[in-house]
Amino acid sequence: MGHAPRWRLDAEVTARLTAAPRDWFEAERRSLLAAVRLAAANGLDDLAWELAACQVPYFDQVTLYDDWRRCHEHALSAVRAAGNRRGEAVLLRGLGQIDIYWDDFGRAARNFARSRELCREIGDKRGEAWAVAGLGTLGRLLGRYEEAVAHYLAALRAFAGMDERHLEAQIHNSIGMIRLTQGRPDEA
C-alpha cells in the first residue's frame, strides 16, 4: 500500500458491497477509471496507482485488459512524474502481466525486470518476489524451463515467512507443470 488517504465505510455499506463485489465493480468501472485519470492529472500519484492496482483482480477476472492497461498507464505517468518508485514498481508488474496475456513477451520481460530493480532499490522484498515470479512465468511460457524454475525458486525463498501461501502454492504448481513437461514426474 501507498500513502493515499483512507476512509472507513460503515458496516452496512461494507456488508452490501462485499455481498456482491463484482456487481459493484461493474456498476462503478467507468467512475473508477475516471478517478484514476483525474488523480493522475492532478498529481495525486499515490491515489492514482493504488486505485489502479486495487482493480487488477477484477480486470483479470473479467478480462478487461484494455481498461487495465489504460488505468495503469495513466497512473504510471503520475508516479513517474512524482518519482514514486513504489507505485512505478507495482504498476510495471501489472503491465507485465497484461503483456504476457497479449503475448508481448519482450515488453513483459522489461516491465518485470524494471519492477524488480525498483523494488530492490526501495527494499520492497515482497514486490521483488512478485516481479521475479512474473519472470518465472515468462520463462515457463517461452519454454525456458530451467530459467523459469530458477526464478520461481528465488521467489519462493523470498516469500518464505511472508504469509503468501497462495502464491507459494501457485509457484509450486508452476514448477510441477514444468517438471511434467520435461518428463520428470517424480520431481513434479
Side-chain angles (χ1 to χ4, degrees), residues 94-110:
L95 289 169
Q97 187 62 45
I98 297 167
D99 296 333
I100 284 176
Y101 291 157
W102 284 352
D103 296 333
D104 191 344
F105 299 132
R107 191 176 192 183
R110 289 187 299 277

Side-chain angles (χ1 to χ4, degrees), residues 21-37 51 55 58-59 62-68 70-71:
R22 186 171 173 173
D23 293 343
W24 182 84
F25 271 104
E26 287 174 9
E28 299 298 334
R29 181 171 62 97
R30 286 182 179 79
S31 296
L32 288 166
L33 290 169
V36 171
R37 279 193 306 272
L51 278 173
Q55 295 178 73
Y58 171 70
F59 290 150
V62 297
T63 64
L64 290 171
Y65 302 142
D66 289 327
D67 286 355
W68 183 349
R70 275 193 306 276
C71 195

Side-chain angles (χ1 to χ4, degrees), residues 87-175:
E88 183 176 357
V90 170
L91 294 167
L92 288 173
R93 281 195 311 273
L95 289 169
Q97 187 62 45
I98 297 167
D99 296 333
I100 284 176
Y101 291 157
W102 284 352
D103 296 333
D104 191 344
F105 299 132
R107 191 176 192 183
R110 289 187 299 277
N111 282 330
F112 285 128
R114 179 64 179 145
S115 177
R116 178 181 59 188
E117 180 183 305
L118 288 166
C119 288
R120 280 185 183 158
E121 288 174 12
I122 62 174
D124 179 359
K125 300 285 188 200
R126 177 176 273 126
E128 184 179 348
W130 277 92
V132 170
L135 289 168
T137 298
L138 186 58
R140 180 175 53 84
L141 293 171
L142 292 171
R144 298 177 188 156
Y145 297 133
E146 294 310 316
E147 177 185 314
V149 169
H151 285 305
Y152 284 142
L153 292 174
L156 282 174
R157 285 189 299 275
F159 281 126
M162 283 191 202
D163 195 30
E164 292 281 357
R165 304 295 289 173
H166 68 285
L167 189 58
E168 289 178 42
Q170 288 175 345
I171 291 172
H172 281 293
N173 185 56
S174 293
I175 293 170

